[in-house]
Amino acid sequence: GPENKAIAWQPNLKSAHTVAREKNQPMMLVFGAEYCGFCKKLERTTLENAQLAKYINNTFVCVHIDVEEQEKVAQILEVKSLPCTIILSPDADLLGRFEGYMQPSPMYQKLVAANKLHLDAQVTAGVTR
């Protein structure tokens, strides 16, 4: 898995889903592979950014998925290119998908947009916090 300790990674997708439902937070799935240089760059630079990591830890339940170890998950979520970050609601609805390496600022903007979809859905469903 990723070496970075900035993000509080869940051990697997199952536990991430459980925590997401408990906390009512969306899941952030980061797909990578050992052979993928830009995946490692994303993990070592962007995801190591202190401000971004803090936002991610406060907002999302995170899990890193190695596509070689978990081909099935990658297939189900139609991961075609790496790195790929997928945001799912606690009910596993797709809130966002972004492919490729990203700097902290654009990644933050995309994560905020995905989380807004989650929050808007809460309001629509009549869920009061």
Side-chain angles (χ1 to χ4, degrees), residues 30-92:
V30 179
F31 289 85
E34 279 302 314
Y35 60 79
C36 171
F38 277 109
C39 299
K40 291 197 164 58
K41 188 177 179 189
L42 182 75
E43 290 159 20
R44 289 192 188 128
T45 59
T46 302
L47 298 180
E48 277 286 329
N49 178 280
Q51 285 171 296
L52 183 64
K54 187 178 178 191
Y55 171 75
I56 289 171
N57 287 333
N58 287 335
T59 313
F60 300 97
V61 180
C62 305
V63 62
H64 183 272
I65 295 174
D66 186 313
V67 294
E68 292 181 298
E69 287 171 18
Q70 303 187 49
E71 286 177 44
K72 193 88 177 160
V73 179
Q75 279 173 356
I76 292 166
L77 291 170
E78 297 177 9
V79 174
K80 302 274 194 285
S81 63
L82 298 175
C84 181
T85 304
I86 292 181
I87 310 300
L88 298 176
S89 78
D91 297 322

